[in-house]
Amino acid sequence: AQSVTQLGSHVSVSEGALVLLRCNYSSSVPPYLFWYVQYPNQGLQLLLKYTSAATLVKGINGFEAEFKKSETSFHLTKPSAHMSDAAEYFCAVSLYNQGGKLIFGQGTELSVKP
Amino acid sequence: EPEVTQTPSHQVTQMGQEVILRCVPISNHLYFYWYRQILGQKVEFLVSFYNNEISEKSEIFDDQFSVERPDGSNFTLKIRSTKLEDSAMYFCASKGTDSRTDTQYFGPGTRLTVL
């Protein structure tokens, strides 16, 4: 069965520092991978997605992620953190041979210190 | 920009009562989903709906749950007899024509509190 593991339930960085949020997946078939962000009291907003095209995916707000099949990873990065990036980030997987349901990781809360 | 809307934003109910959570998906979308997030836990898939029928459901989605698209615009989740453990944030999502790659757009959620 497919699953998603996010390493680190809470990550804290200084403003201007690199953001790295880790996501590993388990899937027996080629997956589609997503990163969503959830700001307090809001729904989930798509940051970026990988759907078997380019392995380096660029998303909104300066975020990007690289699909590495050999490492079964899809880590999210941003070169320079901004205070407004503080939120909960969810990695999710969906399989092409299913109805598109998303399987989410546990989430990583990102804090940005001034 | 089109968005998914959900009502109410917060629902408080007594254990054993029926609740209906409402969602208005994006108008030209064909695939609809409900997820829930218990406080402090991951977002969990409940059910997917396509072509006026359930296409997949999770183990959580037992006989107490049902979904309906009564009028071609609303998409509802009904819990017949709520339990304490049903307390969670419930998210509706919708997706366009490509079942594999299209993005799921999420609503802001309904926080259900069962007392």
Side-chain angles (χ1 to χ4, degrees):
Chain A
Q2 64 276 16
S3 65
V4 176
T5 302
Q6 291 182 241
L7 296 177
S9 59
H10 192 171
V11 170
S12 182
V13 300
S14 297
E15 192 173 19
L18 171 73
V19 175
L20 171 60
L21 305 182
R22 299 178 188 274
C23 173
N24 288 89
Y25 69 91
S26 171
S27 173
S28 57
V29 296
Y32 296 128
L33 294 158
F34 304 80
W35 275 99
Y36 280 84
V37 61
Q38 184 181 29
Y39 298 102
N41 301 314
Q42 294 187 28
L44 298 161
Q45 180 184 3
L46 181 74
L47 274 179
L48 48 79
K49 64 181 180 181
Y50 166 76
T51 56
S52 74
T55 56
L56 181 61
V57 181
K58 294 188 185 298
I60 62 171
N61 301 338
F63 285 93
E64 62 181 39
E66 186 172 8
F67 171 68
K68 292 186 177 180
K69 184 178 178 181
S70 60
E71 299 177 8
T72 61
S73 69
F74 190 58
H75 301 331
L76 182 71
T77 60
K78 181 174 180 178
S80 177
H82 192 271
M83 297 295 291
S84 61
D85 294 327
E88 185 98 20
Y89 291 80
F90 293 94
C91 182
V93 64
S94 131
L95 301 185
Y96 79 93
N97 61 348
Q98 295 186 0
K101 72 176 182 184
L102 293 172
I103 304 296
F104 285 88
Q106 303 92 317
T108 298
E109 184 180 355
L110 176 66
S111 301
V112 182
K113 298 174 291 187
Chain B
E1 183 177 324
E3 58 181 19
V4 177
T5 59
Q6 291 184 243
T7 54
S9 56
H10 192 181
Q11 173 91 45
V12 181
T13 189
Q14 296 291 324
M15 190 169 56
Q17 295 296 304
E18 174 184 286
V19 295
I20 297 176
L21 309 183
R22 292 183 166 79
C23 169
V24 179
I26 294 172
S27 63
N28 61 345
H29 282 186
L30 301 178
Y31 297 85
F32 312 107
Y33 307 83
W34 283 100
Y35 295 83
R36 80 171 185 191
Q37 183 182 28
I38 295 172
L39 187 64
Q41 297 185 25
K42 66 170 72 175
V43 178
E44 301 173 288
F45 167 77
L46 291 178
V47 65
S48 58
F49 192 86
Y50 171 71
N51 200 24
N52 284 320
E53 60 183 23
I54 291 174
S55 48
E56 188 176 0
K57 59 184 181 180
S58 71
E59 293 176 354
I60 303 167
F61 195 88
D62 62 21
D63 292 345
Q64 292 300 311
F65 291 87
S66 63
V67 289
E68 199 175 38
R69 191 160 156 78
D71 56 13
S73 61
N74 291 284
F75 179 50
T76 62
L77 174 69
K78 182 194 295 186
I79 308 175
R80 278 184 249 288
S81 178
T82 50
K83 307 183 187 69
L84 295 176
E85 54 265 37
D86 293 328
S87 294
M89 181 74 89
Y90 288 80
F91 293 106
C92 172
S94 70
K95 186 164 70 169
T97 54
D98 188 327
S99 68
R100 297 177 299 168
T101 61
D102 274 350
T103 299
Q104 288 187 33
Y105 291 88
F106 283 76
T110 293
R111 181 168 297 284
L112 176 64
T113 302
V114 182
L115 303 176

